[in-house]
Structures are given as structure tokens and as C-alpha cells.
């Protein structure tokens, strides 16, 4: 796997509570996390999630059961840390991770950080936001347009660390040569529509150029949150 990432504190916040993981040589997984909680607890939670999740994968054969265990293990560690420290009570984090295995891709997801797949010039959102407004959209009580500007759009219904147990979404799908994956926090997806992301990913330039274009667009439109974007490709697909 080849992967590239860019993170920015944004225009409003003083600290960056996002975290990401780029694969070491030979590794086939990457991840992003968006922490929440006062007294820098969000930064602690996202960092713990990335560390615990990736360490688990390094020590186990990866399959759907392993990915589930990696998430629940990270959740338990964050939840216990929050219970031990009153300043970190209630801290939590999203986690969206990709694992590539020969002709198979696995997506692991908790929260509202997103995973997109660009395949044959078409961009698809693969992850399902675990958020209050998305639940209202699914019930038909809000339109997607209303959800995009809803005052409660940042309320998530599932996160690592906030409860003793968590249930991740795990998606298995075929991997095709030429696939391009984008993992991002809501600091990016709240400001860029899917067609705009696709247009940037398809434009000329390096992958780092494309990350910079997306992050800069989010900043230009307000940048009220931390912004993190990660692009991942199969080992032989670095064709930008």
C-alpha cells in the first residue's frame, strides 16, 4: 500500500485532535481518527485509537474477526483511560481504517469520519455516518441538503471510548487495480461535496497536491474544525 496524508488544525481551533496512520514498508493498512473531549482529551483519544488499532493488526492475521477485535480492544483501552482520569471523562474518537489484502479490501468504521472510493472515475462514499443527522435522513425526517447545515450535524451516535462496548461497521469488497481510497475527518467532508472531491482526485498533479487542494478548499470555506485527509492506493497503483 502507498498512502499520503495531510492534516491541518483549521481556522478556529487551537489544537488538532485528529490523528492518522500511514503504513510502514510492507504494511497494508491506514487510518484516520477524530477525537473529542475537553482538556485535550480528544487528542489523547484519537492517538490511543490509532496506536492500539495498528498494534493489534501487526500482531494478528487480518480478517473481519480480527478487525472487529482490534476496534473493540482500542475501545476498551480508551474507555478505561477515561474512567481513570476525571479530566478525560467522556472522551472518545471516530476511527475509519482501510486494509488491503491481495484482491480484497476491508473498511472498518466507527463515527462520522468517512471513506470514499474512486473507481473508474466515479467516487462513492462507502462509510455510513454514525451521526444524529444521518439517522434523521435515513428516517426521511431531514433531506441531505438540510443535514449538511443542521446545527446538530456534529453529534455522533457511535464512537470509540464513550461506552463500554462499541460495534464497528466492517465492509469487505473486491479490490481492483486503479482504485483510489480517501479517508477523511468531517473537517473536510463538511465543506466538500462528493463531486468536488472527485474532481480534485481526477485532476493532474501529485497526490500531495490533491490533498493540499482539498484541505485548502475546506479552509477557504470556513475551516471551523480540524481537517485531515488520507489517500491510499495499492502498491502498484501510484499513477498520479
Amino acid at each position: 500500500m502507498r498512502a499520503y496524508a495531510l492534516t491541518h488544525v483549521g481556522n478556529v481551533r487551537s489544537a488538532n485532535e485528529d490523528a492518522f496512520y500511514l503504513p510502514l514498508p510492507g504494511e497494508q493498512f491506514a487510518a484516520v481518527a477524530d477525537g473529542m473531549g475537553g482538556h485535550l482529551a480528544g487528542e489523547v483519544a484519537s492517538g490511543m485509537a490509532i496506536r492500539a488499532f495498528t498494534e493489534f493488526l501487526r500482531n494478528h492475521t487480518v480478517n473481519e474477526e480480527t478487525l472487529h477485535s482490534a476496534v473493540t480492544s482500542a475501545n476498551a483501552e480508551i474507555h478505561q483511560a477515561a474512567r481513570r482520569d476525571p479530566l478525560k471523562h467522556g472522551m472518545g474518537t471516530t476511527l475509519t481504517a482501510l486494509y488491503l489484502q491481495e484482491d480484497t479490501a476491508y473498511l472498518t468504521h466507527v463515527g462520522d469520519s468517512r471513506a470514499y472510493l474512486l473507481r473508474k472515475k466515479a467516487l462513492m462514499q462507502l462509510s455510513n455516518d454514525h451521526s444524529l443527522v444521518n439517522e434523521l435522513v435515513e428516517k426521511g425526517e431531514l433531506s441531505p441538503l438540510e443535514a449538511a447545515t443542521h446545527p446538530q450535524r456534529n453529534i455522533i451516535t457511535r464512537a470509540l471510548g464513550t461506552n463500554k462496548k462499541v460495534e464497528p461497521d466492517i465492509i469487505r469488497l473486491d479490490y481492483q487495480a486503479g482504485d483510489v481510497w480517501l479517508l477523511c475527518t468531517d473537517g473536510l467532508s463538511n465543506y466538500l461535496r462528493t463531486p468536488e472531491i472527485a474532481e480534485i482526485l481526477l485532476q493532474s498533479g501529485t497526490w500531495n497536491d490533491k490533498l493540499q487542494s482539498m484541505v485548502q478548499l475546506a479552509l477557504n470555506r470556513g475551516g471551523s474544525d480540524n481537517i485531515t485527509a488520507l489517500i491510499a492506493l495499492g502498491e502498484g497503483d501510484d499513477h498520479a
Side-chain angles (χ1 to χ4, degrees), residues 25 40 129 177:
L40 299 180
D129 293 350

Side-chain angles (χ1 to χ4, degrees), residues 46 84 107 110 149 186 208 214 218 230:
S46 61
R84 289 193 299 266
L107 177 67
V110 176
T149 56
D186 65 342
N208 285 321
M214 287 187 285
L230 184 153

Side-chain angles (χ1 to χ4, degrees), residues 98-116:
L98 172 70
Y99 181 83
L100 298 181
Q101 185 181 61
E102 297 179 353
D103 58 353
T104 303
Y106 293 95
L107 177 67
T108 308
H109 171 67
V110 176
D112 65 352
S113 295
R114 288 184 178 177
Y116 297 88

Side-chain angles (χ1 to χ4, degrees), residues 27 44-45 50 52 65 68 75 139 165 167 216 227-228 232 235 238:
E27 292 182 341
V44 172
I50 293 292
E65 183 179 349
H68 189 280
N75 180 75
K139 292 176 182 177
K165 295 184 178 180
E167 189 61 35
Q216 190 59 54
I227 307 163
T228 299
E235 193 66 33
D238 198 358

